[in-house]
Amino acid sequence: MRFGLIMNAIMSRLILGVLYYLTVLPIGLILKMSGKDAMGNQFDKDVLSYRVISKKINSDQMRKPF
Amino acid sequence: MNIIGISAYYHDSAAALIRDGEIVSAAQEERFTRKKHDPAFPENAIRFCLEKNALSLTDIDHIVFYDKPLLKFERLLETYVSYAPKGFGSFLMSMPVWLKEKLYLKTLLKKELARMAGVKTKEIQPLLFTEHHLAHAASAFYPSPFEEAAVLCMDGVGEWATTSVWTGRGNCLEPQWEINFPHSLGLLYSAFTYYTGFKVNSGEYKLMGLAPYGEPRYAKLILDNLIDVKPDGTFRLDMSFFNYATGLTMTNKKFDRLFGGPPRKAESEISQKEMDIAASIQKVTEEIVLKLAQAIHDEFKIDYLCLAGGVALNCVANGELLRKGIFKDIWIQPAAGDAGGAVGAALAVWHQFHNKPRLVKKPDAMQGSYLGPAYSNDTASAALEKLGARFTHLPDSALYPRVADILAAENVVGWFQGAMEFGPRALGNRSIIGDPRSPKMQSVMNLKIKYRESFRPFAPAVLADRVQDFFELASPSPYMLIVADVQEAIRIAPDDGSEELFGVEKLKQARSTLPAITHVDFSARVQTVDQQTNPRFSSLLSAFNDKTGCPVLINTSFNVRGEPIVCTPEDAYRCFMRTEMDYLVINNLLLAKIDQPVSKEDDSWKEEFALD
């Protein structure tokens, strides 16, 4: 039981580590190099507002968890 | 048509039942499980909503969840991608929970519901999902007393939105614009809650309560470094100071350097620095809220504003907003935090998914927020007898004058009546009450009853038609969400030399003829009570007024520090016996502490509730 738990912890860390370093990190680096600022990390002195216009609601979308 | 709204799995799980558009029942799960801010599937709260209305789960037409789990997951992934290689530790922590549970939230919810109903999963009707800020906006607009209003929601974060602006007319609620994660006023406030050594998601109140002891000497530092605010109140945060997007804490070393030291350790002494920081972030928050409100008014030319989201529980900012008079009136959802999303999600299904018309109700459709479980005198006396309690039954005509006498003799009373409140405030049905004129009440109630920090002020409940005799407040505040100053006439000028007192020392000086409810800056978090919404509490205030000439009582929630507010008569009796409360009133039953059998319980119960 204990062995299983330890193995599980190691395996899930290993799989998540591979996932992170083979997908999350490279995509992040590519985006960074292409100058994308999806999170709005930079202050922008030139704009009057940081607002984002909201999407219209389609109430049928309530059927979906996304 | 019956609709159940569910809020769950983050903090403060809750369920609400809407019948043909009317809010009939709502409760937070923590009250039943006795775990503060319980994030578990709200099985008990759902069960209460069903049993109270003699329904079973299969009678429910729609069950709706208060956010979109997959959009939240998408935001999480995008955040990790954006900040890589930072955030690996947090990725390791959060992914297993998502991959095992939250990603399949629809299935998980259905399984839980099927188990509750004792049916197969496929027999549970399809679930619905609203966006988190739609749930907040709906909870703010639909129950409000306005036919037309602008809506401002501000919280930590839902899917992406952290601030959102809406316009509502009739049954139509339209999203206008928003500010997205990681730029969040709620998370900024929580970052300072963390830095000053309080618990995120519950200590924000303490930070707000601490603010009047300090000077806003860090406000400029915050505005110059942490946040860029535009003239319309929209903002961005400089994320290089914060750790919450990718880490396991709220702030980082760079933040510590800016403010000259590491975060305060929990429960260590609070210094002038924490007080000044509290005053500073409070000032910045108010500035942003006022700018947003002004921009919304200028843009949409609408006279009324509704508020929801955790930031709307900042009653000091709400008071400022009301006094500025940008809007003719404002209305704040009493369960402005995540629990209220259960009500909002259900209302959104009724008015948007089914396009049902909306009937505006006065004073509002929340019914004083008295939407939880109620217990009859018979049920309560049976429960008390089982516990070996000794009590007397008094008819209403004798009860109110008797309790007024007890209060006037400086006794502390547990006041348990009718249906439990929905939302974070006790509004006279699950309250501990006392005489606000008594100079010793604040410290007695803080240290002997609630076992909490002595700097925290208490709130007054006042008869609605007498509010202006004591407070500079022209409109009702039934949900204790507005802070106003006490009237000049009842203030006491500080003694010579006391102006020089610092920090908590300031407390030693009475600020008004109602010292227990007057904060050091002469402010008070007012609850107005009227006969229509809460006849029993109103009758008690009248009886106390008849005896003393004072229609005001201290009203604090019926719990000890870290404990959820009491729900049942058993909870109330337990809390009564554990503390130095003098009397307990459950509906018409009066219990005196001196009549009770000696409690066999030692002090170990204090371990039961983690400090908040």
Side-chain angles (χ1 to χ4, degrees), chain A residues 16 20 28 32 39-44 47-52 54-56 59 61-62 64-66, chain B residues 68 70 79 81-86 88 128-129 175-178 183 228 230 232 234-236 299 353:
Chain A
L16 285 172
Y20 187 86
K32 223 167 255 169
M39 308 302 279
N41 283 316
Q42 302 302 319
F43 288 174
D44 189 341
V47 298
L48 281 170
S49 169
Y50 285 129
R51 68 177 64 182
V52 177
S54 308
K55 283 197 200 95
K56 282 244 174 308
S59 61
Q61 192 70 23
M62 281 190 201
K64 305 269 171 24
F66 50 84
Chain B
K68 300 255 192 188
L70 295 186
T79 307
V81 165
S82 281
Y83 292 108
K86 269 191 226 157
F88 182 57
L128 300 177
F129 299 84
Q176 299 293 339
W177 47 266
E178 58 199 49
H183 311 292
D228 184 32
K230 294 293 179 188
D232 66 353
T234 58
F235 56 85
R236 272 187 188 171
E299 184 174 348
F353 192 75

Side-chain angles (χ1 to χ4, degrees), chain B residues 69 72 119 131 227 249 292 298 332 334 339 341 352 364 372 389 404 438 467-468 472 510 536 543 565 591:
Chain B
K72 213 169 205 169
V119 298
E131 282 189 28
I227 187 165
T249 59
L292 283 167
D298 293 349
I332 307 149
Q352 295 199 341
D364 62 51
S438 161
V467 61
Q468 297 210 47
E472 295 176 353
R536 297 186 71 81
I565 297 175
L591 297 86

